[in-house]
Structures are given as structure tokens and as C-alpha cells.
Amino acid sequence: MAPRRMALAALLAVALLGGALTPTVQARPAAARADGPRGGAVGASPPADTTGIPRLTDRRGRTLTLRGWNVEDKTHHGAEALSAITERHFGDLRARGFNVARLLVFWDDLEPRRGHYSEGYLRKIQRILGWAHKHRIQVVLDAHQDVFGPAFGHRGIPRWATRTDGLPFTPHPDDWFAEYFEPAVQRAFTHLYEDADLRTAQTRVWRLLAARFGGHPALLGYDLINEPMGEPRPGEDLASAARRIEATQLTPLYNRLADAIRTRDRSAWLFVEPTPIVGEGVPTGLGRVDDERVVYAPHFYSTAMEAGADYDPSAGWIEAYERAVTAYPRAHSLPVVVGEWGPLNSGLPHMRRFYDDALASLNRYSSGWAGYVWCYGGGYCALDPEGRFRTNKERTATPYAPAVAGAVHEDAHDPATGTYRLAYRAARRPGTTELSLPPSPTGWRVEVTGRGAHASADGVPAGRAGHVKVWAARHAEVAVRVTPGPGGTRS
């Protein structure tokens, strides 16, 4: 969603003026205990059968964890579209232990004129998927929009599909997210959701993408629309408007697009987002999406931090967000993957604490996340121009288990000691559990216990990423412990 600048500050201002925030959201809960709000080790995940939220799984029934970043090129379009994305992005992701990329694609580049699809743009997406596959990165294709699209100076929905009924639009160059609240932009969303010909055009785009890329070995799924917004009714506060838009406009849209995609691709996951209002602790009003492979994919941004403030642990924002964001997937039994997160300024005094608290929260209820954004520079970029992690962003690169062949009891990383623990009951049918260990100046030691349990390596040398496989007897109780230290052998 970047460059966000003040981004959600406008959202908060409008919400407060309109009375949108509920008392629960405005309240400031007591700070969480140092060992996490539920006790136990920092980052500990409750047993899967007590969270009420299922985990993402693969076709072999293994429990999956996704860790990665968004990859984008918002600057170039037309013949130069996607040119800022190179194979280096995917090689560097893999070298640091990540396994997923959320790739931003734009309808205005794919269909610049109505009914005329860019074969060149499709070939560029194909090439990027090839790089991802080479480096063992899974990709979510994200149908991205910022402030609807080019008609308002941004990217996303084409000009030819933008209808405003002549309503006014005033740019906000110092806080572009405020442009979502301009009447012309809000009306454009209404037409996108309600006009039969635009509905048809959008389903054709998704049918085309699914036909072209369905079955590609790097493709994990499709994010159907980025941060959708809409048009409040007169007298309607922001929270009520968001829930109505989600229930009556976004839910039908997601079902239409799901039906279109399934005519071409039966296996990819479908990622569905609420409006960004969820970031203010407002539970979504989305209804059921009638598909067996749906992932709930909210974003995780703090208004205050987007406006430049440091993290305030006592404000209780993470706790309020977690309460709000888990209601929908629990009710509909959907896995969660957070599609975007991360502060603009990661170098402020309390940002180290933010990353540790945020990662602990995400690990409690989600199957993974994609940080914003994998690029080389300033602002939101994960890396500096030389390819080194920017301040505190290295804390996202921790040991984890991309795939577990069994039911997970514990999945915990302690940032204070660097220790990672995984406990699971092996499945009835023998399978392979995978560990991803990022480069460490000390290397890693790997210990595995359990009936028939053994690993492909007992350690990883300093400075190298490692991928360790673990096997065990059926129904065995397996414990894995990864600690910093000189590694023995590397897989």
C-alpha cells in the first residue's frame, strides 16, 4: 500500500469525527505481560485445536507457515511495467529464509483498453513466476489498487472502468490515503461493485489470469482485490459503512470472482481482504465465501505509526487488532495470512519491541504473513541499497517450520535467546517436516527427539541459510529445538 506517508492518519481523523470507533477500540488496555498476553514463551502458538482458527495446509495435509514480503513495481507501466522487479528479489528472499512473495499486479496494465489484454504484461508475470520457482518462492498474485486507479493519479482499476457521476475529487499530496474519502473515489467503488458490465469485466480479468497461471508450480493463490473501500451512506459512520460494504458488496464480489477463477483453476488458494478499517479494531462484516480454499488476508497497520509515531506498547493496539481480526476466521473456519504489515520508520526507539510483539501476535493466530516491502532503499524497504536489512527488519528473519507433517502443539521463537521450538504429533501417514533457518553469525544447532525422529542435518554453519528436513514414525510425539551455536552439518 506504500508509499503510505501519513496514510491511515486520515482514516482515524474521519473515524473520530464520525464516531466510527467503538468504545472497545478507543480503550487503552493494560500492557501485555512481558512473556506475551497469554503467558508462556514469547511467540508461543496455542495448540491448533484451541485457537478456533484452522491452519493453512498443503495437499499432503501438512501444516504450512508462510513468511515473506510484498514485491512490487508501482513506478513503471506500459512497456516498462514490472521492470523494477528482478531475479535478485527472489534470490535474496530465499537466501534469508523466506518462502512467499505477494506480487502486485495492476488491472490498468493488464487491460489498458477495454477488451484488449496486454500479452507483454502476461509474459512479464510469467517470467517473474519463473524466477520465483527457481528460488523456491511461492507467489500470491495480488490485484492491487491504490485510491482506485489512474483516474485519481494512482494504480489499479483502469480509467475506462472508472465512473464518478461527476462528483468532485481533490488530491491530497501530503496524505494520499485521505483521497479514499473523496466523493468521486467512493462513487467509483460503488459502480465497480454494482454495474453489471464492470462486474463482467472484472470476472473476465480473473478468468484470464487463472487460465494463464493456474497450475504454475510457483503459484500459491490469488488476492482478489487490495484494501477495498466503498461509499458511506448519508449519516452513516465509518465503521458501520465498512461492515455494510463488506457484507453487501464485497462478499458478492468475492463469490463472483471465486466462481470465475474456478472455471480455470481448481486448486489455488483465494485470498480475501476486509476494508482497511479492520486496522482500527473493527471486526469485518464479510459474509461466507463459498469456496473450499479461502484464506482471510487482512492487513496489519497502526494509524499512529503510519503517521510517524513510535510504537507505544501501553496503547494496546496490537491486542485490539488481534481481537477484531480473529472473529471472522474463527466464525467461518478460515486460515489467516496477513497480506501486508510493517512500519514506515523501523528505526525509532521502540521499534525493536514492536517487531517482537507483532511477530508474537501474528504467530498466535495466523498461518503467515508478507511484510511490506521487499526493495532496496529507504522508506518501507526491507533492505538498504547494498542489500542489508534495515534497522530492526532483520527481526523478521527467524527460524520457522514452512511445513509440519502432523498436528502442531507448540511453535515458538524466543527473540531474547534466539531459540526456536516446535512440537507436534506426527501424522498417520509418514511425511516430511521442513525447517527454515536464516543466516546467523553463530550458525544453528538442531536437536530432534521422538520415536523414530531424525533430521537431515544437526546444524547449519555460520552465515548460511539452512533447510533441514525432519522425519518421524507415525503418531510419534516430536520435539524440535533450534538454538544459536556452531552447526555440525548442513543439509
Side-chain angles (χ1 to χ4, degrees):
M1 188 173 175
R4 297 173 76 91
R5 301 184 181 93
M6 293 178 67
L8 294 179
L11 185 154
L12 179 59
V14 173
L16 289 173
L17 291 172
L21 298 189
T22 66
T24 299
V25 178
Q26 293 187 52
R28 298 168 66 89
R33 289 170 44 186
D35 59 357
R38 295 183 182 172
V42 174
S45 175
D49 60 354
T50 67
T51 64
I53 298 174
R55 294 292 301 270
L56 195 68
T57 58
D58 65 12
R59 290 297 190 184
R60 288 178 277 176
R62 298 186 302 173
T63 300
L64 302 181
T65 296
L66 306 177
R67 298 281 177 85
W69 291 79
N70 284 258
V71 176
E72 68 175 27
D73 180 1
K74 292 186 177 181
T75 302
H76 302 95
H77 57 87
E80 300 301 315
L82 301 175
S83 59
I85 300 173
T86 68
E87 185 177 351
R88 177 190 180 188
H89 287 75
F90 299 93
D92 286 352
L93 278 167
R94 187 65 185 182
R96 287 163 173 83
F98 298 108
N99 67 348
V100 71
R102 180 174 179 261
L103 175 64
L104 278 59
V105 297
F106 298 104
W107 186 0
D108 59 291
D109 267 324
L110 178 57
E111 192 180 2
R113 291 183 294 132
R114 184 168 191 149
H116 294 267
Y117 304 104
S118 171
E119 181 61 30
Y121 194 64
L122 292 167
R123 285 196 301 267
K124 290 179 180 182
I125 296 172
Q126 186 83 27
R127 180 176 63 179
I128 290 171
L129 288 173
W131 292 333
H133 180 54
K134 176 181 176 180
H135 295 284
R136 294 178 291 167
I137 299 294
Q138 295 180 289
V139 174
V140 176
L141 292 182
D142 162 44
H144 207 84
Q145 64 79 30
D146 292 323
V147 194
F148 203 78
F152 307 109
H154 297 274
R155 304 298 310 280
I157 289 96
R159 288 180 183 273
W160 60 260
T162 305
R163 296 169 183 167
T164 67
D165 297 337
L167 293 177
F169 170 75
T170 301
H172 296 260
D174 295 327
D175 186 6
W176 66 263
F177 197 82
E179 294 171 2
Y180 273 111
F181 302 98
E182 287 293 314
V185 175
Q186 294 179 338
R187 182 60 54 83
F189 276 105
T190 297
H191 283 294
L192 177 68
Y193 300 144
E194 302 296 341
D195 291 6
D197 62 326
L198 296 184
R199 290 181 177 184
T200 298
Q202 192 177 24
T203 58
R204 284 175 176 167
V205 163
W206 272 116
R207 195 176 292 118
L208 172 65
L209 289 170
R212 187 64 172 257
F213 304 118
H216 192 287
L219 183 75
L220 177 67
Y222 311 103
D223 192 332
L224 302 182
I225 184 170
N226 177 72
E227 296 188 349
M229 294 287 276
E231 184 175 19
R233 291 171 177 168
E236 190 176 43
D237 66 47
L238 186 58
S240 298
R243 288 190 289 266
R244 175 186 53 78
I245 291 163
E246 289 161 343
T248 66
Q249 294 178 318
L250 281 179
T251 301
L253 178 143
Y254 289 146
N255 278 296
R256 286 194 301 273
L257 299 184
D259 289 345
I261 289 169
R262 292 306 183 217
T263 66
R264 301 294 186 270
D265 183 350
R266 301 296 303 176
S267 61
W269 290 93
L270 306 181
F271 291 69
V272 299
E273 300 186 30
T275 66
I277 312 305
V278 72
E280 297 307 319
V282 179
T284 183
L286 280 175
R288 177 177 174 79
V289 180
D290 293 317
D291 192 272
E292 294 182 353
R293 295 176 68 78
V294 175
V295 177
Y296 184 51
H299 292 180
F300 179 52
Y301 288 116
S302 158
T303 295
M305 286 188 283
E306 290 300 299
D310 198 358
Y311 175 53
D312 178 6
S314 69
W317 173 74
I318 288 178
E319 294 83 354
Y321 174 89
E322 185 172 328
R323 287 193 298 272
V325 83
T326 53
Y328 176 77
R330 185 176 293 115
H332 293 272
S333 193
L334 298 179
V336 178
V337 174
V338 171
E340 287 186 27
W341 75 284
L344 172 61
N345 188 344
S346 64
L348 295 173
H350 294 136
M351 284 300 172
R352 180 185 178 97
R353 170 74 181 273
F354 168 74
Y355 275 97
D356 291 346
D357 288 355
L359 289 166
S361 175
L362 292 169
N363 198 47
R364 279 192 288 274
Y365 63 86
S366 82
S367 290
W369 44 261
Y372 193 88
V373 56
W374 197 254
C375 56
Y376 306 85
Y380 286 90
C381 286
L383 308 170
D384 67 17
E386 286 71 45
R388 299 168 299 203
F389 272 120
R390 297 179 62 230
T391 304
N392 291 317
K393 300 200 176 200
E394 76 284 351
R395 304 190 74 74
T396 62
T398 68
Y400 69 102
V404 178
V408 177
H409 303 318
E410 181 184 28
D411 184 352
H413 174 255
D414 184 345
T417 65
T419 299
Y420 172 70
R421 296 191 309 278
L422 173 70
Y424 65 96
R425 179 177 174 82
R428 180 177 62 85
R429 298 177 62 184
T432 303
T433 291
E434 302 175 16
L435 306 177
S436 177
L437 310 180
S440 164
T442 62
W444 299 102
R445 289 191 292 261
V446 179
E447 303 170 64
V448 178
T449 59
R451 182 167 51 88
H454 60 288
S456 62
D458 59 14
V460 176
R464 303 291 297 273
H467 190 77
V468 177
K469 297 179 179 180
V470 177
W471 299 274
R474 65 179 63 188
H475 297 312
E477 294 291 343
V478 183
V480 178
R481 186 170 182 262
V482 178
T483 55
T489 59
R490 179 174 180 266
S491 60

